[in-house]
């Protein structure tokens, strides 16, 4: 049984993330999507519970995918889950430089973790969670960019708050 972990801050999960998770679920027997804290990114927009709920909504129907929240070292989760690899998406040279460093660091930690980098599909290259947060701040419709269930949940939240 070969399990991959797709880690990220998912603040919020985008269609680009979901595409990487789907592709990982074809390459591996099982995938754990792991909602984490990126120490370099500050407070963020959504709480860890909200981000995990959005990920759950997004991966519903993907049979071999589950999701967890993990506040510790990623390499420790890999060992705990007996995972074979981490999977991350890369949209360009900036992502690659960062992910290459992270892969080297994670490989040097307990368990000698391998990282598989998947090139982002062209239609998702220009979008990011940062862009999603900006659009949410300005009340924009995100159905083109976020998993449908997540975009609908956000829209409903706005309607319930009378926005
Ligand atoms: O979606 P992101 O922000 O690119 O995800 C980055 C994340 C959360 C995967 C990364 O910051 C991370 O692995 N954080 C957990 C702590 C850790 O294991 N850091 C690396 C070794 S010090």
């Amino acid at each position: 049984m070969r399990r991959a972990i797709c880690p990220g801050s998912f603040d919020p999960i985008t269609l680009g993330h979901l595409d990487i998770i789907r592709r990982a679920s074809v390459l591996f027997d099982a995938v754990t999507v792991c909602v984490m804290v990126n120490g370099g990114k500050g407070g963020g927009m959504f709480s860890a519970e909200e981000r995990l709920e959005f990920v759950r909504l997004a991966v519903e129907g993907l049979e071999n995918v589950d999701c967890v929240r993990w506040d510790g070292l990623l390499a420790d989760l890999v060992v705990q889950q007996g995972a074979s690899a981490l999977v991350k998406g890369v949209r360009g040279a900036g992502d690659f430089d960062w992910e290459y460093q992270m892969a080297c660091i994670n490989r040097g930690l307990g368990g000698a973790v391998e990282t598989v980098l998947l090139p982002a599909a062209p239609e998702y290259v220009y979008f990011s969670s940062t862009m999603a947060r900006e659009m949410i701040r300005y009340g924009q419709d995100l159905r083109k960019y976020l998993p449908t269930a997540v975009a609908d949940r956000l829209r409903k939240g706005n309607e319930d708050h009378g926005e």
Side-chain angles (χ1 to χ4, degrees), residues 7 38 40 73-75 86 88-90 92-109 112-117:
N38 181 334
L73 199 63
L74 186 51
L86 299 168
K88 292 279 285 187
V90 284
D95 277 358
F96 180 81
D97 284 351
W98 174 252
E99 296 301 345
Y100 178 71
Q101 288 180 52
M102 290 302 284
C104 292
I105 294 293
N106 283 322
R107 195 151 193 262
L109 296 173
V113 183
E114 289 291 2
T115 299
V116 174
L117 298 179

Side-chain angles (χ1 to χ4, degrees), residues 30-104:
V31 172
T32 299
V33 183
C34 179
V35 173
M36 308 193 71
V37 173
N38 181 334
K41 276 191 180 167
M45 177 173 269
F46 296 102
S47 69
E49 289 74 22
E50 288 172 312
R51 288 184 276 132
L52 182 58
E53 176 59 16
F54 291 158
V55 171
R56 284 216 171 97
L57 286 171
V59 303
E60 226 167 55
L62 294 179
E63 303 251 307
N64 60 341
V65 177
D66 57 24
C67 19
V68 296
R69 173 183 164 187
W70 184 258
D71 295 327
L73 199 63
L74 186 51
D76 289 344
L77 180 72
V78 172
V79 173
Q80 193 225 60
Q81 297 246 333
S84 309
L86 299 168
V87 174
K88 292 279 285 187
V90 284
R91 288 164 299 186
D95 277 358
F96 180 81
D97 284 351
W98 174 252
E99 296 301 345
Y100 178 71
Q101 288 180 52
M102 290 302 284
C104 292

Side-chain angles (χ1 to χ4, degrees), residues 5-6 16 19 21 27 29 38 50-51 57 67 71-72 79 82-83 97 100 106 123-124 136 146 148 151 153 159 163:
I5 292 180
C6 289
D19 182 57
I21 294 164
L27 292 171
D29 301 313
N38 181 334
E50 288 172 312
R51 288 184 276 132
L57 286 171
C67 19
D71 295 327
V79 173
D97 284 351
Y100 178 71
N106 283 322
E123 60 269 38
Y124 302 128
I136 291 166
L146 302 190
T148 311
R153 175 67 63 91
E159 283 163 12
E163 283 165 26

Side-chain angles (χ1 to χ4, degrees), residues 11-13 24 30 65 70 73 91-92 135 140 145 148 151 154:
D11 189 30
I13 185 168
V65 177
W70 184 258
L73 199 63
R91 288 164 299 186
M135 290 180 72
Q140 295 304 297
Y145 304 106
T148 311
L154 284 167

